[in-house]
Amino acid sequence: MDPVEMRIGAMGPWQVKIIIVLSMSGLFLNLQKLGTSYLLKETNFWCSSKEMNFTQEMRLQIEYSTGSSVNPCIIQDLTMARENLTIPQCERWQFEMESVVSEFDLVCGKQIWVSLSKSIYLFGYVVGSTASGVLSDIFGRKPVIIISTIGYLVFGSAVIFSPSVITFNILRCLTAVCAISVFNVSFIYSSEIVSGKWTSFVGILFGVTCALGLMVVPFLSSIFPTWTSLQIALTIPIIIVFAAPLMFLLFPESPRWLMAKQLFSKSESVMELISEANGRNAEILQADSTENDVRSVLEKVSILDLFKTPGICRSTLVLYYIWFCFITIYNCLILNTKSLIPGKMSFNIEILGGLEVLASFLILPILNYAPRRLSVSLCMICTGTAFLISSQLEDEL
C-alpha cells in the first residue's frame, strides 16, 4: 500500500482546505488569459481631428460626398477627399473607447500587435509550463508556488506602467509564465496529497475554477472600464483569495516530493502534521523499510521510461497529441470568442464558462466508471463533430 496514504489517508479535512485554496489558481489562470481579449479590445477609431482639421460632422459629409467611408489610416480634408488627391498617412487617432489598442495606437500599420500580443502571452504559457515542472522537481513544490505567486502579483501590477507596447508584452508574457506555473504546480501538489478516486475530484475542481475565471472577466470589465483598472482587478485579488489563505494554513512541502528526494525525516514530520490535522490514528511504519522501498523504486524510475517500450512510447505520443489539440482548440475559442462566435462577446463568454462548469460535473461519473481510452475517444469525436457542424452553420448564416 502507498506509504503516504497509509499515514495521511486518501482524503481528509486538511487536504480539503489546502486543495480548495490551491484550486483557486485556475481562477487566476483564466482571469489573465481571457483578460487579454478585453485589454486588447478593438474599437472604432478615426484620424484625429487636430490632424484632419475637420469635425465629426464634416467626416460624415465626406463619407456622403465621396460615396465611401473615410479611411482612418490617412489624413483627409473635404476638398482633397472630393478630388481624390493623394494624401499622407495619419499619425494620431481618436478612439471610441479606451483599451491597450488606444493606449499604444495599435491600428493601421500597428494592428498586427493585437494578434501578436496574444501569441506572446501564450508563449509565456509554453515557457512556464516547461520551467515550472523542472524547477518544482528540483527545488520543491512549495517554493515554486510561492515565487510564482509573487511574480504574478509583481509583473501583473507592473503592466499598467508600460511605456510601450513592447514593454507591455514582456510584462504580460512574464505574468503568463507565473500564472501557468502557479496553476501547474498547485495541481501537482494537490494530486500528491490525495490518492485513489480523489485524484479525479482534484482535476474536476481545478477545471471548475478555470471556468469560473472565464465567467468573472466580463463582470469585472463592466465595473472597470479602463484597461489599467481592469488589469489591476485581474491581478490584486490573488492576495486575498490565494496567497493569504495559504499563509494562514502554513502549508508544508509535498510529502511525496520529500520522499522522492529521500528526505525521509522531513517527510515523516509533514505526514505526522497532516495526520494530526485529520484526526487520524496513523499506522506507524518502519522507517527503514519505507526508505528501502522508496530507494528501490527511485533507482528504477526515469523520464526515459515514457519512451522505453513501443507500447508506452505510442501512448505517450498519443497523449501529447491529445493535449496539443485540446490546448490549441481551447485557447483559440477563449482568445477569439468575438470573431468566432456571433453575438455579444460577454454573453458568449458566460455561456462558455457555464457549459464548462456543467461539463466538469457531468464528466465525474465517466472518470470513475468508464474506461479512459473510450471516454477520451468519445469526447474528441464529439468535439470534432461539433466544430464541423458549427462551420457549416456559420456558412449558412
Side-chain angles (χ1 to χ4, degrees):
M1 186 178 179
D2 180 2
V4 176
E5 182 181 352
M6 291 178 66
R7 293 299 306 275
I8 69 175
M11 176 64 88
W14 183 88
Q15 286 102 317
V16 170
K17 290 185 291 185
I18 292 292
I19 291 171
I20 288 176
V21 175
L22 290 178
S23 68
M24 290 297 106
S25 60
L27 174 72
F28 296 100
L29 177 74
N30 273 357
L31 279 181
Q32 292 289 347
K33 182 193 296 182
L34 181 58
T36 303
S37 296
Y38 282 84
L39 295 174
L40 294 161
K41 198 170 186 179
E42 298 183 70
T43 181
N44 295 328
F45 67 98
W46 52 89
C47 194
S48 173
S49 58
K50 293 181 180 179
E51 286 202 28
M52 296 171 67
N53 198 27
F54 64 83
T55 63
Q56 181 73 1
E57 289 74 18
M58 293 177 66
R59 174 177 179 270
L60 295 176
Q61 276 188 347
I62 294 175
E63 290 182 1
Y64 178 77
S65 61
T66 59
S68 61
S69 296
V70 172
N71 183 353
C73 296
I74 58 177
I75 300 175
Q76 300 190 47
D77 63 34
L78 194 57
T79 303
M80 297 177 72
R82 285 177 178 150
E83 297 177 2
N84 293 321
L85 298 177
T86 302
I87 32 192
Q89 296 291 319
C90 184
E91 296 181 357
R92 290 187 300 175
W93 294 268
Q94 292 177 329
F95 295 84
E96 198 171 58
M97 61 176 290
E98 182 182 346
S99 68
V100 175
V101 173
S102 63
E103 179 74 18
F104 301 116
D105 292 335
L106 304 183
V107 293
C108 299
K110 294 182 179 179
Q111 190 174 11
I112 190 174
W113 277 104
V114 175
S115 56
L116 187 59
S117 296
K118 296 177 181 180
S119 299
I120 291 173
Y121 185 82
L122 293 180
F123 176 73
Y125 270 27
V126 176
V127 175
S129 297
T130 305
S132 61
V134 175
L135 293 175
S136 66
D137 282 345
I138 297 174
F139 300 106
R141 316 307 189 201
K142 182 178 177 179
V144 174
I145 291 175
I146 293 174
I147 293 173
S148 298
T149 303
I150 295 172
Y152 178 98
L153 183 61
V154 172
F155 296 129
S157 301
V159 168
I160 66 171
F161 302 106
S162 303
S164 66
V165 67
I166 294 177
T167 306
F168 170 83
N169 279 295
I170 291 173
L171 291 173
R172 284 284 296 170
C173 182
L174 292 173
T175 304
V177 171
C178 295
I180 194 64
S181 296
V182 174
F183 177 80
N184 283 348
V185 183
S186 295
F187 181 79
I188 293 170
Y189 185 102
S190 300
S191 299
E192 289 179 342
I193 60 175
V194 299
S195 56
K197 64 181 181 181
W198 294 106
T199 54
S200 298
F201 171 78
V202 168
I204 294 299
L205 184 59
F206 273 74
V208 169
T209 57
C210 285
L212 292 177
L214 298 181
M215 300 175 73
V216 169
V217 175
F219 173 73
L220 291 177
S221 68
S222 65
I223 299 177
F224 302 97
T226 64
W227 76 269
T228 51
S229 60
L230 178 60
Q231 175 63 29
I232 290 298
L234 298 175
T235 304
I236 296 300
I238 197 172
I239 300 175
I240 303 171
V241 180
F242 189 82
L246 281 183
M247 294 288 289
F248 176 76
L249 293 172
L250 298 175
F251 79 112
E253 183 55 83
S254 166
R256 293 189 192 277
W257 180 85
L258 291 171
M259 293 185 71
K261 290 295 181 179
Q262 302 185 29
L263 301 173
F264 297 106
S265 59
K266 290 184 178 180
S267 66
E268 186 67 24
S269 300
V270 170
M271 288 189 288
E272 184 177 351
L273 181 150
I274 299 173
S275 297
E276 291 178 359
N278 286 338
R280 179 181 174 84
N281 295 322
E283 181 178 345
I284 304 300
L285 303 177
Q286 294 293 329
D288 292 338
S289 63
T290 302
E291 292 181 18
N292 291 333
D293 292 341
V294 172
R295 284 197 178 97
S296 64
V297 172
L298 291 175
E299 290 173 357
K300 301 175 183 178
V301 174
S302 167
I303 192 172
L304 296 177
D305 291 342
L306 293 173
F307 309 94
K308 195 170 184 179
T309 66
I312 295 178
C313 180
R314 182 177 63 252
S315 298
T316 300
L317 294 176
V318 168
L319 288 173
Y320 281 160
Y321 176 73
I322 289 173
W323 269 104
F324 174 80
C325 293
F326 164 72
I327 295 299
T328 302
I329 294 171
Y330 185 78
N331 287 322
C332 180
L333 282 175
I334 297 304
L335 295 178
N336 299 280
T337 304
K338 183 177 180 180
S339 58
L340 291 178
I341 306 176
K344 192 174 181 181
M345 183 172 72
S346 296
F347 179 75
N348 291 334
I349 289 294
E350 297 293 351
I351 295 297
L352 288 175
L355 290 174
E356 190 172 339
V357 172
L358 179 63
S360 296
F361 287 109
L362 291 177
I363 203 70
L364 187 57
I366 297 177
L367 289 174
N368 287 331
Y369 302 108
R372 295 287 191 259
R373 184 166 59 180
L374 176 63
S375 57
V376 171
S377 299
L378 290 176
C379 288
M380 296 294 286
I381 291 171
C382 290
T383 302
T385 303
F387 266 94
L388 290 174
I389 294 174
S390 63
S391 63
Q392 295 298 318
L393 291 176
E394 183 179 2
D395 294 338
E396 293 178 5
L397 293 174

